[in-house]
Amino acid sequence: MLSEHPEIQIKDAIHHYNMDVFNRCEVNGAVLLTLDGWEDVHPSLVTIPVDWAYAIPYGAQYFAESSNNVQRFLKACQEADIHAP
C-alpha cells in the first residue's frame, strides 16, 4: 500500500488510547485503527469494520493478590482453554 500511495504517513499512537488520541485524530483528519470497543467513543468519528488478516494481542490483566471471584474466573478460562489462536 505504501509503495503505491507514498502520500500516506503511518504514525504510531501512544500505547493506550484516550480521548486525546481521538481528538487529535479528528483535528488532524487522520485515520486511526481501533478495536470495535471504541466504536462510539467520539461523536465526530466514524468506525468502518475491516476484514484484514491481522490480529492484535490482548489479555486479561488482574491484581496479583486478586479476589476469589477473579481466581475462579481465571480458572474457568484455563479449563475452557480460552487463549489466542
Side-chain angles (χ1 to χ4, degrees):
M1 178 172 63
L2 293 176
S3 62
E4 295 179 24
H5 300 279
E7 68 277 11
I8 295 174
Q9 296 178 9
I10 297 178
K11 296 181 181 180
D12 286 332
I14 57 177
H15 293 287
H16 65 277
Y17 287 171
N18 57 27
M19 286 308 295
D20 183 52
V21 172
F22 293 101
N23 288 332
R24 282 188 283 134
C25 178
E26 176 193 20
V27 169
N28 296 324
V31 175
L32 181 67
L33 298 179
T34 65
L35 301 172
D36 293 345
W38 291 106
E39 182 176 23
D40 297 319
V41 73
H42 195 286
S44 299
L45 301 179
V46 176
T47 298
I48 301 170
V50 295
D51 186 16
W52 296 339
Y54 181 76
I56 296 174
Y58 67 95
Q61 193 170 33
Y62 57 94
F63 180 55
E65 298 175 23
S66 57
S67 68
N68 288 336
N69 286 340
V70 170
Q71 292 299 321
R72 286 188 6 241
F73 170 77
L74 295 170
K75 184 177 179 187
C77 289
Q78 288 175 329
E79 290 172 355
D81 197 25
I82 296 175
H83 57 83

